[in-house]
Amino acid sequence: MTIEPLEAAFRAAWPIERWADVPIVVGVSGGADSVALLRLIVAVRRASTPLPDGKSDETIIVAHVNHGLRGQSSNDDRDFVLRLSLECQTWCSFLGTALITERFRGRDGLEANCRKARYDFFLEAARKYGARYIAVAHTADDQAETILHHVLRGTGLAGLGGMTMFRAMNDAVTLARPLLGVRRSEIIAYLEAIGQPWREDATNFESTFTRNRLRNELIPQLAREYNADIVPALVRLGEQAREAHDVVEQAARQLADRCVNPSAASDDAAVVIDCTPLVRASRHVVRELFVQIWRDRDWPRQAMGFAEWDALAAIALGEADQTPTRVFPGNVAAKRTGETLELKRRGWE
Amino acid sequence: MTIEPLEAAFRAAWPIERWADVPIVVGVSGGADSVALLRLIVAVRRASTPLPDGKSDETIIVAHVNHGLRGQSSNDDRDFVLRLSLECQTWCSFLGTALITERFRGRDGLEANCRKARYDFFLEAARKYGARYIAVAHTADDQAETILHHVLRGTGLAGLGGMTMFRAMNDAVTLARPLLGVRRSEIIAYLEAIGQPWREDATNFESTFTRNRLRNELIPQLAREYNADIVPALVRLGEQAREAHDVVEQAARQLADRCVNPSAASDDAAVVIDCTPLVRASRHVVRELFVQIWRDRDWPRQAMGFAEWDALAAIALGEADQTPTRVFPGNVAAKRTGETLELKRRGWE
């Protein structure tokens, strides 16, 4: 028996020791990527722990959400996943139906809402079956699409990092994307090699959503006209952006150690910053310092954009006109007195 | 007299104090951007230092290169620049002809060769007239094109920074791009407001070169289909990438202070690195440390790519199989002994 190259890549990305015995929810749409993911998980686990005769694997929970957006085709996907799950002898096929109401049918609203419905459902399955992981089938192609989407939207460097292979969803559950380094073409080759069919997702071939237009139009066009290796180029850019952002975050933490004085705060709702050490730091690091303060305090960050973080940096670096107090979104007041900057969330004393 | 908004932006980007009295070479193709640049430089300097009657300004040197690629149209550009230069009472129109030979007519070869010919010519003019600056008319649109080009080619984060507003070309001459924050549309509005005509560059409308295809096809398409503000989004991404890269570079310098031991080197051609402090550093910083060592030593970096820097990081972090010696491009040998890594350029002892 030969081990497929994809199986080797999968084993390297997600060593079996980490998940040999723990329950896993596997998100399976019926498309090539998620069908391959399920087959890989099942194959690797059976190689490690064979199933007794007549038993099914109680720790692999196949989860499928029927958004009901494509009529009979959606139902056929569900039936396909159910059959696949039985063939794989996984214990439970967790089939959900999340109908999306009309008000979410707007371009980004519908897409985002479907995603939220899926993840809520996966988390519910994880809680019910005590799963440690939720495994989803994002590939290097998905990653490249995410990164290009961020480039086009202008979300800046922090957003450019794309998806990570593992991400804690809560204290008990980790989201795993073990195929994130794998090209979609490798997945197709694997499924053909093992004779495993899959369902084509009809919506993938429509260009209704930005994401599908990126996938079906822009990336193929860029590969054709500019760089045949556009997908790995974008993936590498994302990795480098994430690494650089980690360096900036670490520098900001070190800076916080030197300039944030917990004992000087008048009360728990306030942060007192000594601005003297900031002038030798990079402005980028100073902005990140404020992001971290907001995150640590759980102050609302939704309305804080680049302009707001930069305005805080300008005040801290002594560049801003000395307004006695400036109030930022989320009702956080910044007041500079000499070399001291005090941040305080109003109405929360 | 009202000062045009573009003139105010120009004055803010490049304060007159820095160049009030120094000779400047201005690269003028005859296109809108460079015509506006010349008019701005002349207007701002005349406002500061009026010209005596009948005199011309001996410190503004208009430099124009005729690549001879477009026949009569190229000659008309040259004549246009000559007339403009006389109207502006600049002292000298430095007109060059750089015919490009057939062997450089390959896609990128021709473009790169034209650029090199222009900059060599500008530097020659700067030396001849003792100029402190070479001013060129790159705009925010050019910057966005550069950044998108790097995204597509996959040059990674360091290449994503794009062009800087000022860059030392040698000990005596600085390249200045004072219009780097200005949109092309603002330049057109300015020229129309002051009634100054310009030449359309015929090659700009051809899509022969990657750069022109980015400008004339891809960026307008992305603005239409994905984000109307794609140009400022790309410019901001470049700024953030540059800032993040500065933070990484600084971290690498601090790391070098702790782990590069100049006195331990067996001779001047060798660098001795204590690998112990590296394990706590980010891999990105470790790679950048090696880039800096190469740069400081003036070792050849052309053939060193991401894979090579990362292989060095793997050796330094103790991840690589312990090969006694690995030789990198440019004949630099890396040899790890215990916690010590020695780098040595062979044949240069």
Side-chain angles (χ1 to χ4, degrees):
Chain A
M1 191 188 85
T2 59
I3 292 179
E4 294 291 335
L6 185 59
E7 201 176 304
F10 178 80
R11 284 169 181 271
W14 200 21
I16 180 73
E17 299 75 37
R18 295 212 221 160
W19 55 280
D21 305 311
V22 298
I24 296 176
V25 169
V26 188
V28 182
S29 69
D33 301 345
S34 60
V35 168
L37 174 65
L38 178 61
R39 290 294 308 245
L40 286 163
I41 287 175
V42 168
V44 171
R45 180 163 294 173
R46 295 292 145 81
S48 139
T49 320
L51 267 188
D53 274 356
K55 289 274 183 185
S56 59
D57 191 333
E58 299 188 1
T59 60
I60 298 179
I61 300 106
V62 173
H64 172 84
V65 177
N66 182 357
H67 290 301
L69 289 169
R70 289 173 291 106
Q72 186 55 42
S73 176
S74 291
N75 296 338
D76 292 347
D77 286 351
R78 181 198 57 204
D79 296 343
F80 174 87
V81 171
L82 183 57
R83 276 195 308 274
L84 175 67
S85 166
L86 293 171
E87 286 164 23
C88 288
Q89 293 175 270
T90 53
W91 185 55
C92 169
S93 285
F94 204 82
L95 301 172
T97 303
L99 289 168
I100 305 299
T101 58
E102 277 304 321
R103 76 187 175 94
F104 288 113
R105 283 183 172 272
R107 190 171 268 207
D108 286 316
L110 175 59
E111 198 180 6
N113 199 57
C114 285
R115 188 170 49 239
K116 186 176 181 319
R118 276 197 303 280
Y119 281 96
D120 284 353
F121 180 75
F122 294 161
L123 275 170
E124 192 189 325
R127 198 180 57 243
K128 187 163 172 185
Y129 295 96
R132 180 73 192 76
Y133 288 103
I134 294 170
V136 292
H138 293 118
T139 63
D141 295 76
D142 295 312
Q143 179 75 305
E145 288 155 25
T146 301
I147 291 161
L148 184 59
H149 197 186
H150 286 162
V151 167
L152 297 177
R153 281 166 59 202
T155 40
L157 202 64
L160 212 65
M163 299 176 274
T164 53
M165 202 173 278
F166 299 97
R167 181 165 71 78
M169 297 194 78
N170 58 40
D171 288 347
V173 180
T174 296
L175 184 70
R177 300 183 178 98
L179 299 180
L180 208 54
V182 172
R183 292 297 305 271
R184 198 166 285 143
S185 53
E186 299 174 81
I187 284 171
I188 302 296
Y190 169 73
L191 292 174
E192 288 174 345
I194 66 171
Q196 169 65 56
W198 66 92
R199 297 272 302 165
E200 297 290 354
D201 181 349
T203 58
N204 268 347
F205 291 99
E206 293 165 9
S207 289
T208 330
F209 304 139
T210 302
R211 188 53 179 262
N212 280 347
R213 278 162 59 220
L214 281 172
R215 170 177 306 179
N216 299 323
E217 295 170 17
L218 187 56
I219 288 186
Q221 176 195 345
L222 295 175
R224 218 164 40 235
E225 298 177 7
Y226 294 92
N227 180 2
D229 285 328
I230 182 77
V231 166
L234 287 168
V235 168
R236 198 166 57 242
L237 177 63
E239 281 164 12
Q240 294 189 22
R242 192 159 54 237
E243 284 184 326
H245 190 66
D246 289 346
V247 174
V248 171
E249 277 197 328
Q250 198 185 332
R253 275 194 297 273
Q254 289 169 355
L255 192 61
D257 289 343
R258 293 213 305 281
C259 73
V260 178
N261 186 346
S263 60
S266 57
D267 59 61
D268 284 352
V271 178
V272 174
I273 296 162
D274 171 14
C275 296
T276 324
L278 300 182
V279 292
R280 286 193 314 278
S282 149
R283 193 183 186 90
H284 196 65
V285 174
V286 174
R287 282 197 302 268
E288 183 61 29
L289 169 73
F290 288 109
V291 174
Q292 288 181 7
I293 289 171
W294 254 246
R295 194 189 295 134
D296 291 348
R297 299 267 154 175
D298 211 14
W299 287 346
R301 279 180 292 152
Q302 295 86 335
M304 295 290 290
F306 181 87
E308 284 74 26
W309 301 120
D310 202 57
L312 274 164
I315 295 171
L317 295 170
E319 295 167 10
D321 295 335
Q322 299 286 335
T323 47
T325 302
R326 175 164 168 184
V327 181
F328 286 88
N331 218 16
V332 177
K335 181 181 180 183
R336 183 165 172 151
T337 318
E339 287 301 302
T340 299
L341 174 66
E342 190 177 46
L343 301 169
K344 192 168 181 175
R345 190 159 182 213
R346 286 171 166 181
W348 290 79
E349 288 89 334
Chain B
M1 192 188 84
T2 58
I3 292 179
E4 295 292 334
L6 185 59
E7 202 176 302
F10 178 81
R11 284 169 181 273
W14 200 20
I16 178 73
E17 299 74 36
R18 294 213 221 159
W19 54 281
D21 304 312
V22 297
I24 295 175
V25 169
V26 188
V28 183
S29 68
D33 301 346
S34 61
V35 168
L37 175 65
L38 178 61
R39 291 293 309 247
L40 285 163
I41 286 176
V42 167
V44 170
R45 181 165 289 175
R46 296 290 144 81
S48 139
T49 320
L51 267 188
D53 274 355
K55 288 276 185 185
S56 59
D57 191 333
E58 299 188 2
T59 59
I60 298 179
I61 299 107
V62 173
H64 173 84
V65 176
N66 183 355
H67 290 300
L69 289 171
R70 289 173 291 105
Q72 187 55 43
S73 177
S74 291
N75 296 337
D76 292 347
D77 287 351
R78 180 198 57 203
D79 295 344
F80 174 87
V81 171
L82 183 58
R83 278 195 308 276
L84 175 67
S85 166
L86 292 171
E87 286 164 25
C88 288
Q89 293 174 272
T90 53
W91 185 54
C92 169
S93 285
F94 203 81
L95 301 173
T97 304
L99 289 169
I100 305 299
T101 58
E102 278 303 321
R103 75 188 176 95
F104 289 113
R105 283 183 171 272
R107 189 171 267 205
D108 287 315
L110 176 59
E111 197 180 6
N113 200 57
C114 286
R115 186 170 52 240
K116 186 175 181 319
R118 277 198 302 280
Y119 281 95
D120 285 352
F121 180 76
F122 293 162
L123 275 169
E124 191 189 324
R127 199 181 56 244
K128 187 164 174 184
Y129 295 97
R132 181 72 192 77
Y133 287 104
I134 294 170
V136 292
H138 294 118
T139 63
D141 294 76
D142 295 312
Q143 178 75 306
E145 288 155 24
T146 299
I147 291 160
L148 184 59
H149 197 185
H150 286 163
V151 168
L152 297 178
R153 279 167 58 202
T155 40
L157 202 66
L160 213 65
M163 299 176 275
T164 53
M165 201 174 278
F166 299 97
R167 181 166 70 79
M169 297 194 77
N170 59 40
D171 289 348
V173 180
T174 296
L175 185 70
R177 299 182 179 100
L179 299 180
L180 208 53
V182 173
R183 293 296 306 271
R184 197 165 284 141
S185 53
E186 298 175 80
I187 283 171
I188 302 296
Y190 169 73
L191 291 173
E192 287 174 346
I194 66 170
Q196 169 65 56
W198 66 92
R199 298 272 301 165
E200 297 290 354
D201 181 349
T203 59
N204 268 346
F205 290 100
E206 293 165 10
S207 288
T208 330
F209 304 140
T210 302
R211 189 54 178 260
N212 281 346
R213 278 162 59 219
L214 281 173
R215 170 178 305 181
N216 299 323
E217 295 170 18
L218 186 57
I219 288 186
Q221 176 194 345
L222 296 175
R224 217 162 43 234
E225 298 177 7
Y226 293 92
N227 180 2
D229 286 328
I230 183 78
V231 166
L234 287 168
V235 168
R236 197 166 59 241
L237 176 63
E239 281 164 10
Q240 293 188 24
R242 194 158 52 237
E243 284 184 328
H245 189 67
D246 288 347
V247 174
V248 172
E249 276 198 329
Q250 196 186 333
R253 275 195 296 273
Q254 289 169 354
L255 192 61
D257 289 344
R258 292 212 305 280
C259 73
V260 179
N261 185 347
S263 60
S266 56
D267 58 62
D268 284 354
V271 178
V272 173
I273 297 163
D274 172 14
C275 296
T276 324
L278 300 182
V279 293
R280 287 192 315 278
S282 148
R283 193 183 186 89
H284 195 65
V285 173
V286 175
R287 280 196 304 267
E288 182 62 28
L289 169 72
F290 288 109
V291 175
Q292 288 180 6
I293 289 172
W294 255 246
R295 195 189 295 133
D296 291 348
R297 298 267 153 174
D298 212 13
W299 288 346
R301 279 181 292 151
Q302 295 86 335
M304 294 290 291
F306 181 85
E308 285 75 25
W309 301 120
D310 202 56
L312 275 164
I315 295 171
L317 294 170
E319 295 167 8
D321 293 334
Q322 299 287 333
T323 48
T325 302
R326 176 165 167 181
V327 182
F328 286 88
N331 219 14
V332 177
K335 181 180 179 182
R336 182 164 174 155
T337 318
E339 287 301 302
T340 299
L341 174 65
E342 190 178 46
L343 300 169
K344 191 168 181 177
R345 190 158 181 214
R346 286 171 166 182
W348 292 79
E349 286 89 333

